[in-house]
């Protein structure tokens, strides 16, 4: 297992290097530039040239890339073009908000999706199975921005049951320990803050969890249907075991391999794909920050956030691969 882990870690290095090159080049292909953001369309040629020299944009691309990678390896993500704010500091403040939202959304997806898939497979052809498949199709097809706005209008505006902007109410404060408000509220015994943070999480996390719920339910159903026809399941039933033991103790355990893979991939997707949800609900995470930076053509932030998201996605995939090999030892020897 150790050799497999080392080999998989080394295999991720070319992916990270390739991703950094693609991100670097794509950002430079976007029309306009930082000088347009800072000086406007009417900046004189002299001022534009001075600014490009100060930002290092007049150097060859390969030289800019090497400087860019060198700074990243030293933990320096640079400064934002528009606000001249250290990107690493801003990232540390915003990243916990995205992590908290993604973890809650994934928890909802697993708690709802896995049981739906199990029930649907056990009662194949019933109205529950049909309803689950139709619901999962709607969940995958529904535009997330449309669902977010619909939930915001119904539960936030029309009914007024839930807050729909930000992470906390203006009059509520939680002492920062980890940056995850619900965890910090428990650590500090701030129960009113815990309730307020939970209420703010409901609408964005439900919105973000719809697609993962649909995918996890469908994968769980398919994996269970494949396992339920195995000989050892018939043997378990022939031995007189209770149906619950056969389903949960024998079938589900062997059907979890693809489900675990999908859950891990969904976590990476949630961390990387919360841009629309965070923008709709004014959630102060890295997704909304990335969206605003693209609008403002702040290339330094776009490069850094995109690269961090890529790194997270690669690491999550690596962890999924390792867990998969741990669950099924035959994989590590292939």
């Amino acid at each position: 297992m150790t050799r497999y882990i080392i080999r998989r870690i080394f295999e991720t290095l070319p992916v990270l290097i390739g991703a950094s090159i693609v991100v670097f080049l794509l950002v430079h292909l976007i029309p306009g530039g930082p000088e347009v953001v800072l000086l406007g369309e009417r900046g004189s040629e002299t001022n534009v040239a001075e600014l490009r020299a100060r930002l290092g944009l007049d150097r060859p691309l390969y030289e800019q890339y090497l400087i860019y990678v060198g700074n990243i390896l030293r933990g320096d993500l640079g400064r934002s073009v528009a606000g001249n704010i250290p990107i690493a500091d801003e990232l540390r403040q915003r990243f916990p908000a995205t992590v908290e939202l993604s973890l809650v959304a994934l928890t909802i997806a697993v708690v709802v999706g896995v049981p739906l898939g199990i029930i649907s497979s056990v009662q194949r052809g019933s109205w529950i199975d049909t309803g689950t498949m139709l619901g999962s199709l709607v969940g995958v097809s529904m535009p997330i921005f449309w669902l977010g706005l619909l939930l915001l209008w119904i539960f936030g505006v029309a009914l007024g049951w839930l807050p729909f902007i930000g992470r906390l109410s203006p009059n509520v404060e939680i002492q920062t320990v980890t940056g995850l408000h619900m965890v910090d509220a428990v650590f500090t015994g701030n129960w009113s803050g815990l309730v307020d943070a939970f209420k703010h999480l409901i609408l964005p996390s439900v919105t973000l969890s719809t697609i993962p719920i649909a995918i996890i339910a469908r994968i769980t159903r398919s994996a269970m249907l494949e396992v339920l026809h195995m000989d050892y399941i018939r043997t378990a039933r022939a031995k007189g075991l209770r149906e619950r033991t056969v389903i949960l103790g024998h079938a589900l355990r062997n059907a979890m391999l693809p489900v675990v893979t999908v859950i891990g991939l969904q976590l990476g997707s949630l961390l990387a794909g919360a841009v629309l949800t965070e923008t709709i609900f004014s959630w102060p995470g890295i997704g909304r920050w990335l969206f605003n930076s693209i609008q403002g053509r702040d290339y330094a932030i776009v490069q850094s956030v995109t690269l961090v998201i890529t790194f997270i996605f690669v690491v999550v995939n690596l962890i999924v691969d390792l867990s998969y090999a741990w669950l099924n030892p035959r994989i590590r020897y292939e």
Side-chain angles (χ1 to χ4, degrees):
M1 186 68 180
T2 304
R3 291 180 59 186
Y4 179 78
I5 293 173
I6 294 173
R7 179 164 62 87
R8 290 292 297 117
I9 290 174
F10 274 102
E11 286 175 355
T12 60
L13 294 179
V15 178
L16 292 174
I17 294 172
S20 68
I21 294 174
V22 171
V23 170
F24 178 81
L25 293 178
L26 283 180
V27 170
H28 278 73
L29 291 175
I30 299 174
E35 63 271 18
V36 175
V37 177
L38 294 176
L39 301 176
E41 299 288 347
R42 298 181 180 178
S44 66
E45 293 185 4
T46 305
N47 291 336
V48 170
E50 290 177 355
L51 183 60
R52 288 180 62 82
R54 182 164 64 84
L55 297 176
L57 297 174
D58 57 341
R59 299 179 180 178
L61 271 181
Y62 76 89
E63 193 174 337
Q64 292 184 47
Y65 174 74
L66 293 177
I67 294 173
Y68 169 66
V69 173
N71 291 334
I72 290 175
L73 293 177
R74 289 195 298 271
D76 180 12
L77 297 178
R79 290 176 172 270
S80 66
V81 174
N84 198 28
I85 301 171
I87 296 174
D89 294 345
E90 190 73 11
L91 187 65
R92 276 193 288 271
Q93 293 180 11
R94 292 177 176 271
F95 190 58
T98 299
V99 171
E100 186 172 46
L101 176 61
S102 300
L103 289 178
V104 173
L106 184 66
T107 303
I108 295 173
V110 173
V111 169
V112 176
V114 172
L116 276 179
I118 296 172
I119 296 171
S120 180
S121 64
V122 173
Q123 302 189 18
R124 185 182 185 183
S126 66
W127 65 269
I128 296 178
D129 183 29
T130 305
T132 300
M133 290 301 99
L134 284 176
S136 63
L137 182 61
V138 172
V140 171
S141 308
M142 187 182 300
I144 199 165
F145 65 89
W146 183 84
L147 176 63
L149 291 173
L150 183 66
L151 293 177
L152 185 152
W153 181 77
I154 294 175
F155 296 100
V157 178
L159 299 176
W161 289 354
L162 295 169
F164 54 87
I165 293 178
R167 296 180 72 189
L168 289 174
S169 300
N171 58 340
V172 176
E173 291 185 3
I174 297 177
Q175 183 181 351
T176 301
V177 180
T178 64
L180 307 177
H181 279 349
M182 293 188 64
V183 176
D184 293 347
V186 173
F187 282 167
T188 58
N190 186 350
W191 307 119
S192 60
L194 176 65
V195 173
D196 191 72
F198 177 72
K199 287 182 177 178
H200 280 79
L201 264 169
I202 292 176
L203 290 181
S205 59
V206 169
T207 302
L208 194 60
S209 66
T210 51
I211 294 177
I213 287 175
I215 294 174
I216 291 173
R218 295 181 76 91
I219 294 296
T220 304
R221 177 182 181 273
S222 299
M224 286 291 292
L225 286 176
E226 186 175 343
V227 170
L228 286 173
H229 291 91
M230 294 289 182
D231 290 339
Y232 64 87
I233 296 296
R234 282 193 288 269
T235 303
R237 283 174 173 153
K239 289 166 64 178
L241 294 178
R242 292 187 303 172
E243 188 65 16
R244 176 180 296 182
T245 304
V246 174
I247 298 299
L248 299 181
H250 294 267
L252 180 60
R253 183 176 180 182
N254 290 283
M256 283 303 289
L257 284 174
V259 179
V260 168
T261 305
V262 169
I263 291 173
L265 295 177
Q266 286 304 308
L267 176 59
S269 300
L270 289 174
L271 287 168
V275 176
L276 287 176
T277 305
E278 291 186 0
T279 304
I280 292 169
F281 294 99
S282 298
W283 193 261
I286 59 174
R288 184 185 172 209
W289 190 34
L290 177 62
F291 179 79
N292 293 334
S293 301
I294 293 173
Q295 283 189 314
R297 285 186 279 186
D298 199 326
Y299 292 169
I301 295 178
V302 174
Q303 276 184 332
S304 301
V305 174
T306 306
L307 195 62
V308 167
I309 290 174
T310 305
F311 178 77
I312 293 170
F313 206 87
V314 171
V315 170
V316 170
N317 275 278
L318 174 64
I319 294 173
V320 170
D321 282 351
L322 297 180
S323 65
Y324 205 79
W326 178 70
L327 290 169
N328 186 358
R330 288 178 298 178
I331 292 174
R332 71 185 75 159
Y333 300 114
E334 291 179 354

